């Protein structure tokens, strides 16, 4: 459905962040992307969604295709309207001084049809807590509620693919669980999901396939279950190797074992 081919991205003409990244997103899957801080996950989503120029970034090589059509360099609104690719940024972008309901209305700016009200009720079906707070200012909502609102706003654009950037960041485990359940339901309703997460265990558990990112490259990919069982993923992302490392010697072994580098 969506193909990223050999993508290279630089910031400010010199800072090279993605060094030839290729990924494929299949229709109706939940694709998980995990990787350390600064690996380039957010940069990838910015490039795909057409937001990269807002951050002084450039795609200097490669292509991004939606069902065979290149969307590289198109305007972000175009990518959303024409191709149904909607990006939920990592820092929960909601309008603090607007109510929950006003936020949802604002997010339907790109639409001409009159179904906005009905779609808003659908968002409240997925996120009942937002319905209960519909007339409250978003700035007073909790982190979890703001994250749900950010996803609700993305739903108002009627996406075919949702790009979610670390939605579980800073959320309590139970809220994360609830959020991931809703992501599964959204996927079951036909929306393809690309989920970037630090929370490797929980995300791979709801995912179909996954990619592991390290410093601007993909070092591993496979079925989500396979990645959960992979020794390196277990050690570096699921924390299972921590106890073994007690000295510098172990740290050296740690580096050596990081064989995908
Ligand atoms: N606008 C920018 N200008 C210059 N460098 C940037 C810019 N945005 C990101 N970077 C750098 O690009 C690299 C990748 O950043 P990116 O945010 O894509 O990583 P990430 O994998 O999403 O990390 P995290 O898990 O911390 O969110 C980092 O070294 C970061 O400092
Ligand atoms: Mg990021």
């Amino acid at each position: 459905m969506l193909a990223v081919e050999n993508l290279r991205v630089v910031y400010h003409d010199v800072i090279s962040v993605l060094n030839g990244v290729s990924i494929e997103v299949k229709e109706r899957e939940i694709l998980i992307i995990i990787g350390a801080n600064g690996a380039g996950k957010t940069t990838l989503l910015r490039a795909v969604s057409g937001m990269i120029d807002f951050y002084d970034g450039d795609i200097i090589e490669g292509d991004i295709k939606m069902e065979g059509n290149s969307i590289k360099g198109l305007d972000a609104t175009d990518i959303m309207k024409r191709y149904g690719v909607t990006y939920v940024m990592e820092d929960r972008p909601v309008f603090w001084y607007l109510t929950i309901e006003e936020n949802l209305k604002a997010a339907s700016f790109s639409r001409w049809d009159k179904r906005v009200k009905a779609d808003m009720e659908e968002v409240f079906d997925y996120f009942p807590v937002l319905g209960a707070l519909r007339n409250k200012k978003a700035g007073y909502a909790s982190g979890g509620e703001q994250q749900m609102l950010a996803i609700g706003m993305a739903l108002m654009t009627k996406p075919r693919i949702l790009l979610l950037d670390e939605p579980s960041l800073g959320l309590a485990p139970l809220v994360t669980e609830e959020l991931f359940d809703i992501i599964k339901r959204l996927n079951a309703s036909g929306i393809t999901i690309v989920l970037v997460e630090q929370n490797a265990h929980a995300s791979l558990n709801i995912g179909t396939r996954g990619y592991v990112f390290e410093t601007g490259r993909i070092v591993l990919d496979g079925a989500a279950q396979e990645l959960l069982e992979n020794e390196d993923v277990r050690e570096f992302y699921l924390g299972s190797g921590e106890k073994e490392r007690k000295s510098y010697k172990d740290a050296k072994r740690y580096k050596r074992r990081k064989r995908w580098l």
Side-chain angles (χ1 to χ4, degrees), residues 11-12 15 17 35-44 46 55-56 90 165-166 198:
Y11 285 114
H12 309 284
I15 309 166
V17 173
N37 290 122
K41 306 178 298 296
T42 296
T43 302
L44 173 69
R46 284 175 183 162
Y55 299 88
D56 274 324
E90 64 189 330
D165 201 348
E166 300 205 39
Q198 293 281 341

